[in-house]
Amino acid sequence: MIDQVPDYLFVKDTECRFVVANKSVAADLGRGDPNDILGKTDLDLHPSDLAKGFYDNEQRVLHTGEPMLDIEEFVVLQSGQKRWLSTSKLPLRNAQGQIIGLVGIARDITDRKRSEDEVRYLAFHDTLTGLPNRRSFEGALSTMIAGFSPDETASVLYVDLDRFKYVNDTLGHSVGDALIREVAKRLEAALSDENLVARIGGDEFAVLIGPDSSVSAENVATNIIAQLGRSFSVLGNVVQVAGSVGVTRARQGMPPDSVLREADIALYEAKARGRGCWVAFAAPMATALEEKAALERDLRLALLTGDQLFLEYQPVFDADAKAIVGAEALVRWHHPSRGRLPPGVFIELAEERGLITQLGDWALEQACEVVSGSALPWVAVNVSPIQMRNPDFASRLLFILATANIEPSRLQIEITEGVFLDDRDKAVGVLRTLREAGIKVAIDDFGTGYSSLAYLDHYNVDKLKIDQSFVAKLGTSKSADAIVRCIVALARATGIRVTAEGVETEEQRAHLAAIGCHELQGFLLARSMDPSKLLGLLTGRDPARSAVTSP
Ligand code: C2E
Ligand code: CA
Ligand code: CA
């Protein structure tokens, strides 16, 4: 009966000699017949260190009379195979209750142990790259910090790929995965064994440089950036990415997640400084980030309540500065504690945090409402490239126009050349829809971006707005003079209207009028103002003279 059981069954005497053993025990010890091992001890059958472990446990059971249940034992079979057993050893008593030996039952748990090891490995490693994962990195960091003396520090680098999302989106996830693997290899190659590198997120890696390291964090960061700047060849594609790095110091008593957070903040700063560089953490960066988070919260609230945001309108004049031909709507925020904030402070934030569409829709609705039923010929509204990415931007805009019941030609949208950077064909398609509906399209800040002549060729736009920086340099910079003259000539030749922004002096105005610029906008003529004031100017007094304000 006992030979039918796949588990190991045996009985030993008080000297730990086998008295009974089933076939499974014998087979794994390389004996066909269980009788061959009777009378023998583990010392006769196993390497001595293993045998000693078994013997110690068994002597304990024999002396205490307490069974030992489910102990994990490691054995090496005759065949050389290594096995894990879960063993129970129970005392065997005679009728008088005296211990005369022990009964052992053991079960092979090697497969279970293996999957446990695998689970443990998975819990601490990243499957894609085989590198340690975030948990394992934090564990190593925590152990290192715990051993620090007060002035001992380690460096932690947070590495992030620039443009990884773009690779993933355009070439597919399998290329993205392969790229991550290649990046992991390059990072490992760039580091010596004394440094730990881990993958802690999608395209994010962390490096730990201990206090005794022979290399400095600065050198490692520079090296990593150089390595990641070289093009990669993945699955038949040549891929160019770049790496940004945030660096911080782990000090005694710091929780590992705060160390990583500091490095992440420094990384954020590196990205803001133009990517492909490394930045060391400094406390003010954290403050700036917190302020930004607070501003985001306030902006969400402002969009919800709707009574802190306002549009002001800056009149646009004809070249003689006599008549107001239209106006540009510019958003302002009356912040409850910080006072009046210019758009420069919050537009980028709104773009970054996904609030620009809401803000942009609101601005379009407001501006259309103001122009409807007024004497203002048209209103121009700034539109962020992110708004245009939205597939239903055109239909929403048409809906807003219909609701306000204004002629589409009385709305101009001002876009920057950034619109064409994302997806040129799509942007051109959206613009065509808008223009076919009668809406006017102006390119804002013209001359500062890529200034591709292609838009002019494709008749995608109605107007160019010469950037203020060129206007400011008129008369003092030969190249600014030439650029402005060139833009005006080009626009006129292709039937596109041209506006000069930031006109602050009479000399600038006269110069622009002389070279044929159609429209002028700037502090010389008027600053931005409440809609009621603008409408007053239009209906009442001589707009040119009363609108003039000192710059
Ligand atoms: P922009 O579209 O180039 O707007 C012109 C900016 O120049 C305005 O600043 C305006 O007040 C200022 N400006 C006008 N004339 C002069 C001048 O003679 N001299 C000088 N030095 N500046 C002049 P503002 O209002 O601070 O707006 C800054 C930027 O914020 C705008 O630049 C525009 O890109 C953005 N913005 C404003 N409102 C909105 C909006 O509703 N939506 C979006 N997406 N962006 C907006
Ligand atoms: Ca503008
Ligand atoms: Ca502009």
Side-chain angles (χ1 to χ4, degrees), residues 76 109 158:
V76 183
I109 55 162
Y158 208 117

Side-chain angles (χ1 to χ4, degrees), residues 52-70:
K52 175 94 170 54
F54 303 151
Y55 182 83
D56 288 350
N57 279 343
E58 288 165 8
Q59 284 300 316
R60 219 171 102 194
V61 172
L62 294 169
H63 284 117
T64 61
E66 295 283 331
M68 291 182 78
L69 302 175
D70 300 323

Side-chain angles (χ1 to χ4, degrees), residues 236-257:
N237 300 278
V238 176
V239 179
Q240 187 73 48
V241 287
S244 298
V245 181
V247 182
T248 198
R249 295 202 155 269
R251 301 168 291 275
Q252 195 186 42
M254 267 176 101
D257 56 335

Side-chain angles (χ1 to χ4, degrees), residues 314 328-330 380-383 413-416 442-445 465 468 501 521:
Q314 184 177 31
E328 177 178 1
L330 295 161
V381 180
N382 293 286
V383 170
I413 60 163
E414 296 193 359
I415 56 173
T416 53
I443 305 284
D444 207 352
D445 306 340
K465 296 189 78 176
Q468 346 190 326
E501 290 188 295
Q521 184 180 351

